[in-house]
Amino acid sequence: MEERDDLRADVVDLLRLYSIEAQHVAHAFAGRAGLHFTDLQALIAVMHAERRGDPLTPGRLGEALGLSSGATTAVIDRLERAGHLRRTRESADRRVVHLRYGEPGMELAVAFFAPLGARSHAVMDGFSRAELESVRRFLSGMLGAITEHHRELRTRTPTQGSS
């Protein structure tokens, strides 16, 4: 049992270290691109939603980032002015606005992250399809756990759970 506990501790440490390094890289990108870190988080959320085929609305972006509608509008306005984001009306209901990644923002991200992508692909090339499927299942479960915990923290009042 002790070996399994040691392995779990190693995995958690590696996830923590990966998260910290990813934040360093994200901050470096934001700094070089002249973006606020919240702006970068917004761009990532928009990119992931587009990749899933379910573009975000301003309201859903605000929920994802935990921002007020005014703060969300400020982020969207900054990103749109810089060409990183564009608002589109794709629905029969012209009041519905979707957010799309702008070409300049995509070009900047691709140029910055291409070396990391190559390094990541080289690592994944060392794993079989079955191993990658296990890794995906594991990471999906871990993402679900941290997302649920984060959601719980956002709904908890400051005095709850602090005894």
Side-chain angles (χ1 to χ4, degrees):
M1 191 64 166
E2 192 174 310
E3 277 184 41
R4 184 173 174 88
D5 290 343
D6 289 346
L7 183 57
R8 284 180 175 198
D10 285 348
V11 168
V12 169
D13 285 346
L14 289 168
L15 285 170
R16 188 177 301 117
L17 292 170
Y18 181 89
S19 175
I20 290 166
E21 285 301 318
Q23 287 180 26
H24 289 311
V25 170
H27 279 286
F29 174 75
R32 288 184 185 179
L35 298 171
H36 297 273
F37 190 66
T38 302
D39 296 352
L40 176 61
Q41 291 175 311
L43 283 175
I44 291 168
V46 168
M47 180 186 69
H48 283 291
E50 269 196 71
R51 198 173 4 201
R52 287 189 316 266
D54 186 23
L56 291 177
T57 61
R60 286 181 44 217
L61 176 63
E63 287 173 20
L65 298 178
L67 297 176
S68 68
S69 62
T72 302
T73 299
V75 167
I76 293 169
D77 287 347
R78 275 194 308 270
L79 291 171
E80 190 174 43
R81 275 193 306 274
H84 296 302
L85 195 69
R86 54 192 172 82
R87 292 174 169 108
T88 64
R89 286 177 168 62
E90 305 163 14
S91 169
D93 183 348
R94 301 291 293 159
R95 295 171 296 175
V96 177
V97 173
H98 288 102
L99 303 171
R100 298 283 186 175
Y101 222 96
E103 279 305 311
M106 185 60 79
E107 290 171 10
L108 189 66
V110 167
F112 184 88
F113 288 105
L116 176 58
R119 287 181 175 104
S120 297
H121 282 260
V123 170
M124 288 187 279
D125 286 346
F127 291 80
S128 70
R129 179 181 172 91
E131 288 171 323
L132 286 175
E133 286 173 356
S134 291
V135 170
R136 179 176 57 190
R137 186 169 55 87
F138 169 78
L139 290 174
S140 179
M142 294 302 281
L143 177 61
I146 200 163
T147 300
E148 183 179 331
H149 185 67
H150 184 220
R151 190 175 301 123
E152 195 176 283
L153 291 172
R154 287 194 319 206
T155 59
R156 190 182 296 165
T157 60
T159 57
Q160 286 179 320
S162 59
S163 324

